[in-house]
Amino acid sequence: MRSHLPSFFVVRSSQEQKPVTQNSKTGAAFIAGGTIAGAGVSATVGGMGLAGGFGAVGIGATPVVAAGAVAGAAAYRAINAIAKASMQAINQAYKEFQEQLNACKCQ
């Protein structure tokens, strides 16, 4: 049976989706932690707002919680990038060490 819906309306089956890995679980934990931190900040600080020449606008809990989730995701990606760069640097240093060691053995 062919669907007449555009491709962005078609829901994929669970068999086509990628399996949950440890990285995605860790990322979800960072996002959940950021969300909880955002909720904590909102509960602690309470009524927040922005004031300027345009007047004043109140900021509720939802944007603060969302900002916490975004901050958690950003922290996860930053830590992953640092770890990946560190591993690449370590691997490169190890390769150079092995080349120097092999050069010494040949002489």
Side-chain angles (χ1 to χ4, degrees):
M1 180 174 180
R2 184 178 166 111
S3 173
H4 297 289
L5 295 173
S7 62
F8 54 86
F9 284 119
V10 177
V11 178
R12 293 182 178 171
S13 71
S14 61
Q15 294 173 350
E16 295 174 347
Q17 295 174 355
K18 293 196 286 188
V20 176
T21 63
Q22 183 60 36
N23 286 341
S24 61
K25 289 178 184 177
T26 306
F30 269 86
I31 293 171
T35 303
I36 291 169
V41 167
S42 178
T44 303
V45 175
M48 291 181 261
L50 296 172
F54 55 85
V57 177
I59 299 175
T62 304
V64 179
V65 170
V70 170
Y76 172 69
R77 294 299 295 169
I79 290 170
N80 266 358
I82 292 168
K84 185 176 180 180
S86 296
M87 286 306 298
Q88 288 174 346
I90 290 169
N91 286 337
Q92 182 63 32
Y94 179 74
K95 286 178 185 177
E96 290 175 8
F97 173 73
Q98 287 295 326
E99 289 172 2
Q100 291 176 358
L101 190 62
N102 289 337
C104 289
K105 287 181 182 178
C106 294
Q107 293 177 0

Coordinates of all heavy atoms in Angstrom, one line a residue:
M1 N 0.8 -1.2 0.0 CA 0.0 0.0 0.0 C 0.9 1.2 0.0 O 1.7 1.4 0.9 CB -0.9 0.0 1.2 CG -1.8 1.1 1.3 SD -2.9 0.8 2.8 CE -3.8 2.3 2.7
R2 N 0.7 2.1 -1.0 CA 1.6 3.2 -1.1 C 0.9 4.4 -0.4 O -0.3 4.7 -0.5 CB 1.8 3.5 -2.6 CG 2.7 4.7 -2.8 CD 2.9 4.9 -4.3 NE 3.5 6.2 -4.5 CZ 4.7 6.4 -5.0 NH1 5.4 5.3 -5.3 NH2 5.2 7.6 -5.1
S3 N 1.7 5.2 0.3 CA 1.2 6.3 1.0 C 1.2 7.5 0.1 O 2.2 7.7 -0.7 CB 2.1 6.6 2.2 OG 1.8 7.8 2.8
H4 N 0.2 8.4 0.2 CA 0.1 9.6 -0.6 C 0.6 10.8 0.1 O 0.5 11.9 -0.4 CB -1.3 9.8 -1.1 CG -1.8 8.7 -1.9 ND1 -1.4 8.5 -3.2 CD2 -2.7 7.7 -1.7 CE1 -2.0 7.5 -3.7 NE2 -2.8 6.9 -2.8
L5 N 1.2 10.6 1.3 CA 1.7 11.7 2.1 C 3.1 12.0 1.7 O 3.9 11.2 1.2 CB 1.7 11.3 3.6 CG 0.4 11.1 4.2 CD1 0.6 10.5 5.6 CD2 -0.4 12.3 4.3
P6 N 3.5 13.3 1.8 CA 4.9 13.6 1.6 C 5.9 12.9 2.5 O 5.4 12.4 3.5 CB 5.0 15.1 1.9 CG 3.6 15.6 1.8 CD 2.7 14.5 2.2
S7 N 7.1 12.7 2.1 CA 8.0 11.9 2.8 C 8.2 12.3 4.3 O 8.5 11.5 5.1 CB 9.4 11.8 2.1 OG 9.9 13.1 2.0
F8 N 8.1 13.6 4.5 CA 8.4 14.1 5.9 C 7.2 13.7 6.8 O 7.3 13.9 8.0 CB 8.7 15.6 6.0 CG 7.7 16.5 5.3 CD1 6.6 16.9 6.0 CD2 7.8 16.9 4.0 CE1 5.7 17.7 5.5 CE2 6.9 17.7 3.4 CZ 5.8 18.2 4.1
F9 N 6.1 13.3 6.3 CA 4.9 12.8 7.1 C 5.0 11.3 7.4 O 4.2 10.8 8.2 CB 3.6 13.2 6.5 CG 3.2 14.6 6.6 CD1 3.1 15.4 5.5 CD2 3.0 15.2 7.8 CE1 2.7 16.7 5.6 CE2 2.7 16.5 7.9 CZ 2.5 17.3 6.8
V10 N 5.8 10.6 6.7 CA 5.9 9.2 6.9 C 6.7 8.8 8.1 O 7.8 9.3 8.3 CB 6.5 8.5 5.6 CG1 6.6 7.0 5.8 CG2 5.7 8.8 4.4
V11 N 6.1 8.0 9.0 CA 6.7 7.6 10.2 C 7.5 6.3 9.9 O 6.9 5.3 9.3 CB 5.7 7.3 11.3 CG1 6.3 6.8 12.6 CG2 4.9 8.6 11.5
R12 N 8.7 6.3 10.3 CA 9.6 5.1 10.1 C 9.3 4.0 11.2 O 8.9 4.4 12.3 CB 11.0 5.4 10.2 CG 11.5 6.3 9.0 CD 12.9 6.6 9.1 NE 13.3 7.4 8.0 CZ 14.5 7.9 7.9 NH1 15.4 7.8 8.8 NH2 14.8 8.7 6.8
S13 N 9.4 2.8 10.8 CA 9.2 1.7 11.8 C 10.4 1.7 12.7 O 11.5 2.2 12.4 CB 9.1 0.4 11.1 OG 10.3 0.0 10.5
S14 N 10.3 1.1 13.9 CA 11.4 1.0 14.9 C 12.6 0.2 14.3 O 13.7 0.3 14.8 CB 10.9 0.4 16.2 OG 10.4 -0.9 16.0
Q15 N 12.3 -0.7 13.3 CA 13.4 -1.5 12.8 C 14.4 -0.6 12.0 O 15.6 -1.0 11.9 CB 12.9 -2.6 11.9 CG 12.1 -3.6 12.7 CD 11.4 -4.6 11.8 OE1 11.4 -4.5 10.6 NE2 10.9 -5.7 12.4
E16 N 13.9 0.5 11.5 CA 14.8 1.4 10.7 C 15.6 2.3 11.5 O 16.5 2.9 11.0 CB 14.0 2.1 9.7 CG 13.3 1.3 8.6 CD 12.4 2.1 7.7 OE1 12.0 3.2 8.1 OE2 11.9 1.5 6.7
Q17 N 15.2 2.5 12.8 CA 15.9 3.5 13.6 C 17.2 2.8 14.2 O 17.3 1.6 14.4 CB 15.0 3.9 14.7 CG 13.8 4.7 14.2 CD 12.8 5.0 15.3 OE1 12.9 4.5 16.5 NE2 11.7 5.7 15.0
K18 N 18.1 3.7 14.5 CA 19.4 3.2 15.1 C 19.1 2.8 16.5 O 18.3 3.4 17.2 CB 20.4 4.4 15.1 CG 20.9 4.7 13.7 CD 22.1 5.5 13.7 CE 22.0 6.9 14.2 NZ 23.2 7.7 14.0
P19 N 19.9 1.8 16.9 CA 19.7 1.3 18.3 C 20.3 2.3 19.3 O 21.1 3.1 19.0 CB 20.5 0.0 18.4 CG 21.5 0.1 17.3 CD 20.8 1.0 16.2
V20 N 19.7 2.3 20.5 CA 20.2 3.1 21.6 C 21.6 2.6 22.0 O 21.8 1.5 22.3 CB 19.3 3.1 22.8 CG1 19.8 4.0 23.9 CG2 17.9 3.7 22.4
T21 N 22.6 3.5 22.0 CA 23.9 3.2 22.4 C 24.3 3.8 23.8 O 23.5 4.7 24.3 CB 24.9 3.6 21.4 OG1 24.9 5.1 21.3 CG2 24.6 3.0 20.0
Q22 N 25.4 3.5 24.3 CA 25.9 4.1 25.5 C 26.0 5.6 25.4 O 25.7 6.4 26.3 CB 27.2 3.5 26.0 CG 27.7 4.0 27.3 CD 26.7 3.8 28.4 OE1 26.0 2.8 28.5 NE2 26.6 4.7 29.4
N23 N 26.5 6.1 24.2 CA 26.7 7.5 24.0 C 25.4 8.2 24.0 O 25.3 9.3 24.6 CB 27.4 7.8 22.6 CG 28.8 7.4 22.7 OD1 29.4 7.3 23.7 ND2 29.4 7.2 21.5
S24 N 24.3 7.7 23.4 CA 23.0 8.4 23.5 C 22.4 8.3 24.9 O 21.8 9.3 25.3 CB 22.0 7.7 22.5 OG 21.8 6.4 22.8
K25 N 22.7 7.3 25.7 CA 22.3 7.3 27.1 C 23.0 8.3 27.9 O 22.4 9.0 28.7 CB 22.5 5.9 27.7 CG 21.6 4.8 27.1 CD 21.9 3.5 27.7 CE 21.1 2.4 27.2 NZ 21.4 1.1 27.7
T26 N 24.3 8.5 27.6 CA 25.0 9.5 28.3 C 24.6 10.9 27.9 O 24.4 11.8 28.8 CB 26.5 9.4 28.0 OG1 26.9 8.0 28.3 CG2 27.4 10.3 28.8
G27 N 24.3 11.1 26.7 CA 23.8 12.4 26.2 C 22.5 12.7 26.8 O 22.2 13.9 27.2
A28 N 21.6 11.7 26.9 CA 20.3 11.9 27.5 C 20.4 12.3 29.0 O 19.7 13.1 29.5 CB 19.4 10.7 27.3
A29 N 21.4 11.7 29.7 CA 21.7 12.0 31.1 C 22.1 13.4 31.2 O 21.7 14.1 32.2 CB 22.7 11.0 31.7
F30 N 23.0 13.9 30.3 CA 23.4 15.3 30.4 C 22.2 16.3 30.2 O 22.1 17.3 30.9 CB 24.5 15.6 29.4 CG 25.9 15.4 29.9 CD1 26.4 14.1 29.8 CD2 26.6 16.4 30.4 CE1 27.7 13.9 30.3 CE2 27.9 16.2 30.8 CZ 28.5 15.0 30.8
I31 N 21.4 15.9 29.2 CA 20.2 16.8 28.9 C 19.2 16.8 30.1 O 18.7 17.8 30.5 CB 19.5 16.3 27.6 CG1 20.5 16.6 26.4 CG2 18.2 17.0 27.4 CD1 20.0 16.0 25.1
A32 N 19.0 15.6 30.7 CA 18.1 15.5 31.9 C 18.7 16.3 33.0 O 18.0 17.0 33.7 CB 17.9 14.0 32.3
G33 N 20.0 16.2 33.2 CA 20.7 16.9 34.3 C 20.5 18.4 34.1 O 20.2 19.2 35.0
G34 N 20.7 18.9 32.8 CA 20.5 20.3 32.5 C 19.1 20.8 32.7 O 18.8 21.9 33.2
T35 N 18.1 19.9 32.4 CA 16.7 20.2 32.6 C 16.4 20.4 34.1 O 15.7 21.3 34.5 CB 15.8 19.1 32.0 OG1 16.2 19.0 30.6 CG2 14.4 19.4 32.1
I36 N 16.9 19.4 34.9 CA 16.7 19.5 36.3 C 17.4 20.8 36.9 O 16.8 21.4 37.8 CB 17.2 18.2 37.0 CG1 16.4 17.0 36.6 CG2 17.3 18.4 38.5 CD1 16.9 15.7 36.9
A37 N 18.6 21.1 36.4 CA 19.2 22.3 36.9 C 18.4 23.5 36.5 O 18.3 24.5 37.3 CB 20.6 22.4 36.3
G38 N 17.9 23.6 35.3 CA 17.1 24.7 34.9 C 15.8 24.8 35.7 O 15.4 25.9 36.1
A39 N 15.2 23.7 36.1 CA 14.0 23.7 36.9 C 14.4 24.2 38.3 O 13.7 25.0 39.0 CB 13.4 22.4 37.0
G40 N 15.6 23.8 38.8 CA 16.0 24.2 40.1 C 16.3 25.7 40.2 O 15.9 26.4 41.1
V41 N 16.9 26.2 39.1 CA 17.2 27.7 39.0 C 15.9 28.5 39.0 O 15.7 29.5 39.7 CB 18.1 28.0 37.8 CG1 18.1 29.5 37.5 CG2 19.5 27.5 38.0
S42 N 14.9 28.0 38.2 CA 13.6 28.7 38.1 C 12.9 28.6 39.4 O 12.3 29.6 39.8 CB 12.8 28.0 37.0 OG 11.5 28.6 36.9
A43 N 13.0 27.5 40.1 CA 12.3 27.4 41.4 C 13.0 28.3 42.5 O 12.3 28.9 43.3 CB 12.2 26.0 41.9
T44 N 14.3 28.4 42.4 CA 15.1 29.1 43.4 C 14.9 30.6 43.2 O 14.6 31.4 44.1 CB 16.5 28.7 43.4 OG1 16.7 27.3 43.6 CG2 17.3 29.5 44.4
V45 N 15.1 31.1 42.0 CA 15.1 32.5 41.7 C 13.7 33.0 41.6 O 13.4 34.1 42.1 CB 15.8 32.8 40.3 CG1 15.7 34.2 39.9 CG2 17.3 32.4 40.4
G46 N 12.8 32.2 41.1 CA 11.4 32.6 41.0 C 11.0 33.5 39.9 O 11.5 33.3 38.7
G47 N 10.3 34.6 40.1 CA 9.8 35.5 39.0 C 11.0 36.3 38.4 O 11.5 37.1 39.0
M48 N 11.3 35.9 37.2 CA 12.3 36.6 36.4 C 11.7 37.4 35.3 O 10.6 37.1 34.9 CB 13.3 35.6 35.8 CG 14.1 34.8 36.8 SD 15.2 33.7 36.0 CE 14.3 32.2 36.1
G49 N 12.5 38.3 34.8 CA 12.0 39.1 33.6 C 13.1 39.9 33.0 O 14.2 40.0 33.5
L50 N 12.7 40.4 31.9 CA 13.6 41.3 31.1 C 13.0 42.7 31.1 O 11.8 42.8 30.8 CB 13.8 40.8 29.7 CG 14.5 39.5 29.5 CD1 14.5 39.1 28.1 CD2 16.0 39.6 30.0
A51 N 13.7 43.7 31.4 CA 13.2 45.1 31.3 C 14.1 45.9 30.4 O 15.3 45.8 30.4 CB 13.1 45.7 32.7
G52 N 13.5 46.8 29.7 CA 14.2 47.7 28.8 C 13.3 48.8 28.3 O 12.2 49.0 28.8
G53 N 13.8 49.5 27.3 CA 13.1 50.6 26.7 C 11.7 50.1 26.1 O 10.8 50.9 26.0
F54 N 11.6 48.9 25.8 CA 10.4 48.3 25.2 C 9.3 48.0 26.3 O 8.2 47.7 26.0 CB 10.7 47.0 24.5 CG 11.4 46.0 25.3 CD1 10.7 45.1 26.1 CD2 12.8 45.9 25.3 CE1 11.4 44.2 26.8 CE2 13.5 45.0 26.0 CZ 12.7 44.1 26.8
G55 N 9.7 48.1 27.6 CA 8.9 47.7 28.6 C 9.5 46.5 29.4 O 10.7 46.4 29.5
A56 N 8.6 45.7 29.9 CA 9.1 44.5 30.7 C 8.4 43.3 30.2 O 7.2 43.3 29.9 CB 8.9 44.7 32.2
V57 N 9.1 42.1 30.2 CA 8.5 40.9 29.8 C 8.9 39.9 30.9 O 10.1 39.7 31.3 CB 9.1 40.4 28.5 CG1 8.6 39.0 28.1 CG2 8.8 41.4 27.4
G58 N 7.9 39.1 31.4 CA 8.2 38.1 32.4 C 8.7 36.8 31.7 O 8.2 36.5 30.6
I59 N 9.6 36.1 32.4 CA 10.1 34.9 31.9 C 9.6 33.8 32.9 O 10.0 33.8 34.1 CB 11.6 34.9 31.8 CG1 12.1 36.0 30.8 CG2 12.1 33.5 31.4 CD1 13.6 36.1 30.8
G60 N 8.9 32.8 32.4 CA 8.4 31.8 33.2 C 9.4 30.6 33.4 O 10.6 30.8 33.0
A61 N 8.9 29.5 33.9 CA 9.8 28.4 34.1 C 10.2 27.7 32.8 O 11.3 27.2 32.7 CB 9.1 27.4 35.1
T62 N 9.3 27.6 31.9 CA 9.5 26.9 30.6 C 10.8 27.3 29.9 O 11.6 26.4 29.6 CB 8.3 26.9 29.7 OG1 7.2 26.5 30.5 CG2 8.5 26.1 28.5
P63 N 11.0 28.6 29.6 CA 12.2 28.9 28.9 C 13.5 28.6 29.7 O 14.6 28.3 29.2 CB 12.1 30.4 28.7 CG 10.7 30.8 29.0 CD 10.1 29.7 29.8
V64 N 13.4 28.8 31.0 CA 14.6 28.5 31.9 C 14.9 27.0 31.9 O 16.1 26.6 31.8 CB 14.4 29.0 33.3 CG1 15.6 28.7 34.2 CG2 14.1 30.5 33.3
V65 N 13.9 26.2 31.9 CA 14.1 24.7 31.9 C 14.7 24.3 30.5 O 15.6 23.5 30.4 CB 12.8 24.0 32.2 CG1 12.9 22.5 31.9 CG2 12.4 24.2 33.7
A66 N 14.1 24.9 29.4 CA 14.6 24.7 28.1 C 16.1 25.1 28.0 O 16.9 24.4 27.3 CB 13.7 25.3 27.1
A67 N 16.4 26.2 28.5 CA 17.8 26.7 28.5 C 18.7 25.7 29.2 O 19.9 25.5 28.8 CB 17.9 28.1 29.1
G68 N 18.2 25.2 30.3 CA 19.0 24.2 31.1 C 19.3 22.9 30.2 O 20.4 22.4 30.2
A69 N 18.2 22.5 29.5 CA 18.4 21.3 28.6 C 19.4 21.6 27.5 O 20.2 20.7 27.2 CB 17.0 20.9 28.0
V70 N 19.3 22.8 26.9 CA 20.3 23.1 25.9 C 21.7 23.2 26.5 O 22.7 22.8 25.8 CB 19.9 24.5 25.2 CG1 21.0 25.0 24.3 CG2 18.6 24.3 24.4
A71 N 21.8 23.8 27.6 CA 23.2 23.8 28.3 C 23.7 22.4 28.6 O 24.9 22.2 28.4 CB 23.1 24.7 29.6
G72 N 22.8 21.5 29.0 CA 23.3 20.1 29.2 C 23.7 19.5 27.9 O 24.8 18.8 27.9
A73 N 23.0 19.7 26.8 CA 23.4 19.1 25.6 C 24.7 19.7 25.1 O 25.6 19.0 24.6 CB 22.3 19.4 24.5
A74 N 24.9 21.0 25.3 CA 26.2 21.7 24.9 C 27.3 21.2 25.7 O 28.4 21.0 25.2 CB 26.0 23.2 25.1
A75 N 27.1 20.9 27.0 CA 28.2 20.4 27.9 C 28.6 19.0 27.4 O 29.8 18.7 27.4 CB 27.7 20.4 29.3
Y76 N 27.6 18.2 27.1 CA 27.9 16.8 26.6 C 28.7 16.9 25.3 O 29.7 16.2 25.2 CB 26.6 16.1 26.4 CG 26.8 14.7 25.7 CD1 27.4 13.7 26.3 CD2 26.4 14.5 24.4 CE1 27.6 12.5 25.7 CE2 26.5 13.3 23.7 CZ 27.2 12.3 24.4 OH 27.3 11.1 23.8
R77 N 28.3 17.7 24.4 CA 29.1 17.8 23.1 C 30.5 18.3 23.3 O 31.4 17.9 22.7 CB 28.3 18.7 22.1 CG 27.0 18.1 21.6 CD 27.2 16.8 21.0 NE 27.9 16.9 19.7 CZ 28.4 16.0 19.0 NH1 28.2 14.7 19.4 NH2 29.0 16.2 17.9
A78 N 30.6 19.3 24.2 CA 31.9 19.9 24.5 C 32.9 18.8 25.1 O 34.0 18.7 24.7 CB 31.8 21.1 25.4
I79 N 32.3 18.1 26.1 CA 33.2 17.0 26.7 C 33.5 16.0 25.7 O 34.7 15.5 25.7 CB 32.4 16.4 27.9 CG1 32.4 17.5 29.0 CG2 33.0 15.1 28.4 CD1 31.5 17.1 30.2
N80 N 32.6 15.6 24.8 CA 32.9 14.6 23.8 C 34.0 15.1 22.8 O 34.9 14.4 22.4 CB 31.6 14.3 23.0 CG 30.9 13.1 23.5 OD1 31.4 12.4 24.4 ND2 29.8 12.7 22.9
A81 N 33.9 16.4 22.4 CA 34.9 16.9 21.5 C 36.3 17.0 22.2 O 37.3 16.7 21.5 CB 34.4 18.3 21.1
I82 N 36.3 17.4 23.4 CA 37.6 17.4 24.1 C 38.2 16.0 24.2 O 39.4 15.8 24.0 CB 37.4 18.1 25.5 CG1 37.1 19.6 25.3 CG2 38.7 17.9 26.3 CD1 36.7 20.3 26.6
A83 N 37.3 15.0 24.6 CA 37.8 13.7 24.7 C 38.3 13.1 23.4 O 39.3 12.4 23.3 CB 36.7 12.8 25.3
K84 N 37.6 13.4 22.3 CA 38.0 12.9 21.0 C 39.3 13.5 20.6 O 40.1 12.8 20.1 CB 36.9 13.2 20.0 CG 37.1 12.6 18.6 CD 35.9 12.9 17.7 CE 36.2 12.3 16.4 NZ 35.1 12.5 15.4
A85 N 39.4 14.8 20.8 CA 40.7 15.5 20.4 C 41.8 15.0 21.2 O 42.9 14.8 20.7 CB 40.5 17.0 20.6
S86 N 41.6 14.7 22.5 CA 42.6 14.2 23.4 C 43.1 12.8 22.9 O 44.3 12.5 22.9 CB 42.2 14.1 24.8 OG 41.9 15.4 25.3
M87 N 42.1 12.0 22.6 CA 42.4 10.6 22.1 C 43.2 10.7 20.8 O 44.1 9.9 20.5 CB 41.2 9.8 21.9 CG 40.6 9.3 23.2 SD 41.8 8.5 24.3 CE 42.2 7.0 23.3
Q88 N 42.8 11.6 19.9 CA 43.6 11.7 18.6 C 45.0 12.2 18.9 O 45.9 11.7 18.2 CB 42.8 12.7 17.7 CG 41.6 12.2 17.1 CD 40.8 13.2 16.3 OE1 41.0 14.4 16.4 NE2 39.8 12.7 15.6
A89 N 45.2 13.1 19.8 CA 46.5 13.6 20.1 C 47.4 12.4 20.8 O 48.5 12.3 20.4 CB 46.5 14.8 21.1
I90 N 46.7 11.6 21.6 CA 47.4 10.5 22.3 C 47.8 9.5 21.2 O 48.9 9.0 21.2 CB 46.6 9.9 23.4 CG1 46.5 10.9 24.6 CG2 47.1 8.6 23.8 CD1 45.5 10.5 25.6
N91 N 46.9 9.2 20.3 CA 47.2 8.2 19.3 C 48.3 8.7 18.3 O 49.2 7.9 18.0 CB 45.9 7.9 18.4 CG 45.0 7.1 19.2 OD1 45.3 6.3 20.1 ND2 43.7 7.1 18.8
Q92 N 48.3 10.0 18.0 CA 49.4 10.5 17.2 C 50.7 10.4 17.9 O 51.7 10.1 17.3 CB 49.1 12.0 16.8 CG 50.1 12.6 15.8 CD 50.2 11.9 14.5 OE1 49.2 11.3 14.0 NE2 51.4 11.8 13.9
A93 N 50.8 10.8 19.2 CA 52.0 10.7 19.9 C 52.5 9.3 20.0 O 53.7 9.0 19.9 CB 51.8 11.3 21.3
Y94 N 51.6 8.3 20.2 CA 52.0 6.9 20.3 C 52.6 6.5 19.0 O 53.6 5.7 18.9 CB 50.8 6.1 20.7 CG 51.1 4.6 20.8 CD1 51.8 4.1 21.8 CD2 50.6 3.7 19.8 CE1 52.1 2.7 21.9 CE2 50.9 2.4 19.8 CZ 51.6 1.9 20.9 OH 51.9 0.6 21.0
K95 N 52.0 6.8 17.8 CA 52.5 6.5 16.5 C 53.9 7.0 16.3 O 54.8 6.3 15.8 CB 51.5 6.9 15.4 CG 50.3 6.2 15.3 CD 49.4 6.7 14.3 CE 48.0 6.0 14.2 NZ 47.1 6.6 13.2
E96 N 54.1 8.3 16.7 CA 55.4 8.9 16.5 C 56.4 8.2 17.4 O 57.6 8.0 17.0 CB 55.3 10.4 16.8 CG 54.6 11.2 15.8 CD 54.4 12.6 16.2 OE1 55.0 13.1 17.2 OE2 53.7 13.3 15.5
F97 N 56.0 7.8 18.6 CA 56.9 7.1 19.5 C 57.3 5.8 18.9 O 58.5 5.3 19.0 CB 56.2 6.9 20.9 CG 57.0 6.1 21.9 CD1 58.2 6.5 22.4 CD2 56.6 4.8 22.2 CE1 58.9 5.8 23.3 CE2 57.3 4.0 23.0 CZ 58.5 4.5 23.6
Q98 N 56.3 5.0 18.4 CA 56.6 3.7 17.8 C 57.5 3.9 16.6 O 58.4 3.1 16.4 CB 55.3 3.1 17.3 CG 54.5 2.5 18.5 CD 55.2 1.4 19.2 OE1 55.9 0.6 18.6 NE2 54.9 1.3 20.5
E99 N 57.4 4.9 15.8 CA 58.3 5.2 14.7 C 59.7 5.4 15.1 O 60.7 4.9 14.6 CB 57.7 6.3 13.8 CG 56.5 6.0 13.0 CD 55.9 7.2 12.4 OE1 56.5 8.4 12.5 OE2 54.8 7.1 11.8
Q100 N 59.8 6.2 16.2 CA 61.2 6.5 16.7 C 61.8 5.3 17.3 O 63.0 5.0 17.1 CB 61.1 7.6 17.8 CG 60.8 9.0 17.2 CD 60.6 10.0 18.3 OE1 60.7 9.7 19.5 NE2 60.3 11.3 17.9
L101 N 61.0 4.5 18.0 CA 61.5 3.2 18.6 C 61.9 2.3 17.5 O 63.0 1.6 17.6 CB 60.4 2.6 19.4 CG 60.7 1.4 20.3 CD1 61.8 1.8 21.3 CD2 59.5 0.9 21.0
N102 N 61.1 2.1 16.4 CA 61.5 1.3 15.3 C 62.8 1.8 14.6 O 63.6 1.0 14.2 CB 60.4 1.1 14.3 CG 59.2 0.3 14.9 OD1 59.4 -0.5 15.8 ND2 58.0 0.5 14.4
A103 N 62.9 3.1 14.5 CA 64.1 3.6 13.9 C 65.4 3.3 14.7 O 66.4 3.0 14.2 CB 64.0 5.1 13.7
C104 N 65.2 3.3 16.0 CA 66.4 3.0 16.9 C 66.7 1.5 16.8 O 67.9 1.2 16.9 CB 66.0 3.4 18.3 SG 66.0 5.1 18.6
K105 N 65.8 0.7 16.7 CA 66.0 -0.8 16.6 C 66.7 -1.1 15.3 O 67.5 -2.1 15.3 CB 64.7 -1.6 16.7 CG 64.1 -1.6 18.1 CD 62.8 -2.4 18.1 CE 62.2 -2.4 19.5 NZ 60.9 -3.1 19.5
C106 N 66.4 -0.4 14.2 CA 67.0 -0.7 12.9 C 68.5 -0.3 12.9 O 69.3 -0.9 12.1 CB 66.3 0.0 11.8 SG 64.6 -0.7 11.6
Q107 N 68.9 0.6 13.6 CA 70.3 1.1 13.5 C 71.3 0.2 14.2 O 71.4 -0.4 15.1 CB 70.4 2.5 14.1 CG 69.7 3.5 13.2 CD 69.7 4.9 13.8 OE1 70.3 5.2 14.8 NE2 69.1 5.8 13.1

